[in-house]
DNA sequence: CGCCTGATTGACGCGGTTCAACCTCAGTGG
DNA sequence: CCACTGAGGTTGAACCGCGTCAATCAGGCG
């Protein structure tokens, strides 16, 4: 299950998430300690990482890929409660059981630390705790923004919001011209979109079709999206122009 | 605007939230520092504490009362994203502007610290940062639980969930007999309930009536609720019996 | 080719919103 | 003392957005 290319410990210095992850503020000695504690593991798409209620004796940073955190009701209704992207932190120091299901959405590589030693590290190395606090506060803000989407937005606005987020990320990653058209691939299925947005796959499909019909987006195949006019899409999302932006 | 009885600084030793708030882990010297930094302020019911986007140069602990954190769309749709109860922390170290509106739901007294000195304290006093991290992680879990409610639960389940939370809190505060009936007052209006649950006031009213008709609750006046059988109410909330519980 | 998973589309119905009337109660002032 | 007022709450009727159920389509793979 170990990815061959990452099974031998890559150096933290070369790590792609070096300056965004929980270890971002660490230097020299501290980084050495982390280097000694870490181990990599790669999960295949769809593979469960933990189930809610399970013993959960490690914490980890996502190095590559996407993992989904979700909750399921007895009758099968499911709600995604977080998307874990590279540099995001997974796990809960001070808690021995997982609160949510976590599943690999794509192929995912984690940089893992045993929970106990990591908790000790938190006590002794303020830099890690401070960075974790920053990251957790950001996640809390993002979760609260998402609550507005889930509680008050229409299906069309929900889809538009999600596409706008993905378009913004694509634009920032690829340094595209502001105002120009943005194109990206949906990495996730309609089902994952529905779980994330609190909708059904049928509604997701219908609203995508409607947005295409109205010229807000261009769909090539079912997974490739082109946004001719980002402002137009943002207006459909119902976010006030000056307001905060979902991450 | 200062509450006369709290305007002179009450001692941290006697503080009702002494061992639950952000200062919980502090001892001796550290407490002295906080004691010197703090100032109290009381807000009247309905009074805004901050608006989203405003300069926000303090952080605070709620000492007494209830404050509501919420987000509003251009057209007036509103979603509450958090309820701040005594000992809860308000504010975001490292950020100069508020992300959400915060309003006093009842009369609220805050124990406030200027943001800059508090940030310095966070760097120098690990105990505060560690406690804040714990609290933030708990809030994040609660926000994620709420996402399931907003995204997937029916109106009846939403109301039942809220009542179950309030009943649990009442039972734990008043040490009631497990299995016995639980009675409590709704401290908030139908409008606040609707904003919290992502519903309209009409739907809130109708579902409360339906739960009363079905014997799940007894309503005395419009604000006093008696729960004859907690397990029955919990079943209506749709939470799986073994699962995690909203706080 | 057949099979399976993911996605689209249509028909239909329900749950929750919308709009509106009305009720209750606590002030408030004549 | 009672009329007036306004906020909070309840109830009814009609509408419609989205879920449900079901049929069909497209693409990948043995």
């Amino acid at each position: 299950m170990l990815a061959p290319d990452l099974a031998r410990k890559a150096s933290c210095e070369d790590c792609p998430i070096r300056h965004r992850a929980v270890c971002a503020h660490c230097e020299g000695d501290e980084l050495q300690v982390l280097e000694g504690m870490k181990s990599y593991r790669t999960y295949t798409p769809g593979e469960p990482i933990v189930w809610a209620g399970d013993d959960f004796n490690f914490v980890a940073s996502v190095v590559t890929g996407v993992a989904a955190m979700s909750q399921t009701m007895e009758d099968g209704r499911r709600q995604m409660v977080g998307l874990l992207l590279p540099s995001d932190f997974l796990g809960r120091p001070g808690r021995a059981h997982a609160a949510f299901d976590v599943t690999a959405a794509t192929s995912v590589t984690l940089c893992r630390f045993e929970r106990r030693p990591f908790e000790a590290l938190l006590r002794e190395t303020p830099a890690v705790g401070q960075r974790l606090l920053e990251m957790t506060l950001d996640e809390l803000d993002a979760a609260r923004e998402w609550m507005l989407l889930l509680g008050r937005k229409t299906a069309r606005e929900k889809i538009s919001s999600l596409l706008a987020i993905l378009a913004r990320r694509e634009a920032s990653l690829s340094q595209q011209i502001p105002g120009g058209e943005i194109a990206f691939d949906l990495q996730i299925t309609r089902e994952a979109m529905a779980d994330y947005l609190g909708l059904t796959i049928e509604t997701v499909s219908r609203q995508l079709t409607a947005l295409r019909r109205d010229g807000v987006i261009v769909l090539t195949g079912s997974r490739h999206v082109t946004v001719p006019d980002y402002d137009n899409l943002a207006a459909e999302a119902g976010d006030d122009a000056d307001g905060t932006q979902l991450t």
Side-chain angles (χ1 to χ4, degrees), chain A:
Chain A
M1 211 47 76
L2 290 169
D5 54 338
L6 287 168
R8 56 190 163 75
K9 297 185 183 179
S11 162
C12 288
E13 298 292 348
D14 303 330
C15 181
I17 58 171
R18 166 76 181 86
H19 41 282
R20 297 193 56 199
V22 73
C23 50
H25 293 173
C26 292
E27 305 288 347
D29 291 355
E30 296 164 352
L31 212 54
Q32 287 302 315
V33 175
L34 284 167
E35 189 105 45
M37 289 170 60
K38 77 185 183 186
S39 68
Y40 290 112
R41 171 154 173 199
T42 296
Y43 299 79
T44 55
E47 186 179 357
I49 297 174
V50 283
W51 295 114
D54 278 2
D55 285 350
F56 191 27
N57 288 315
F58 66 90
V59 298
S61 291
V62 177
V63 181
T64 63
V66 181
M69 198 179 301
S70 62
Q71 247 180 314
T72 307
M73 295 175 67
E74 292 168 345
D75 59 8
R77 281 176 283 175
R78 194 180 338 160
Q79 177 64 52
M80 205 180 291
V81 296
L83 214 44
L84 296 165
L85 303 172
S87 84
D88 283 343
F89 184 80
L90 166 62
R92 168 72 211 252
R95 180 167 298 173
H97 300 274
F100 306 101
D101 301 331
V102 181
T103 312
T106 64
S107 178
V108 171
T109 300
L110 299 184
C111 172
R112 307 186 357 165
F113 306 92
E114 294 293 317
R115 187 169 59 81
R116 290 292 186 186
F118 187 85
E119 285 166 8
L121 188 78
L122 271 185
R123 270 176 254 118
E124 291 149 23
T125 313
V128 177
Q130 279 167 22
R131 177 68 189 137
L132 187 53
L133 178 57
E134 287 173 15
M135 292 173 70
T136 307
L137 286 165
D138 285 342
E139 292 235 20
L140 184 53
D141 281 353
R144 286 175 166 157
E145 302 253 3
W146 207 252
M147 287 169 65
L148 176 66
L149 178 144
L150 291 174
R152 294 300 186 191
K153 288 192 178 180
T154 64
R156 187 182 174 100
E157 290 169 337
K158 287 178 175 182
I159 296 286
S160 300
S161 297
L162 179 59
L163 294 177
I165 290 168
L166 297 174
R168 268 203 305 281
R169 178 153 68 228
E170 179 62 27
S172 81
L173 287 179
S174 65
Q175 309 279 16
Q176 296 197 5
I177 316 98
E181 72 174 32
I182 308 172
F184 58 93
D185 282 315
L186 290 169
Q187 303 284 2
I188 55 177
T189 63
R190 297 290 187 267
E191 185 179 17
M193 294 176 68
D195 285 346
Y196 204 24
L197 299 171
L199 297 170
T200 59
I201 54 173
E202 294 93 332
T203 300
V204 169
S205 185
R206 274 189 258 271
Q207 295 300 333
L208 283 171
T209 305
L211 289 172
R212 180 183 55 188
R213 175 173 34 70
D214 299 345
V216 180
I217 58 172
V218 178
L219 276 174
T220 314
S222 68
R223 294 288 186 95
H224 190 80
V225 178
T226 305
V227 179
D229 179 355
Y230 173 79
D231 291 340
N232 195 4
L233 178 62
E236 291 286 353
D239 296 329
D240 41 352
D242 58 320
T244 47
Q245 302 260 310
L246 285 162
T247 329

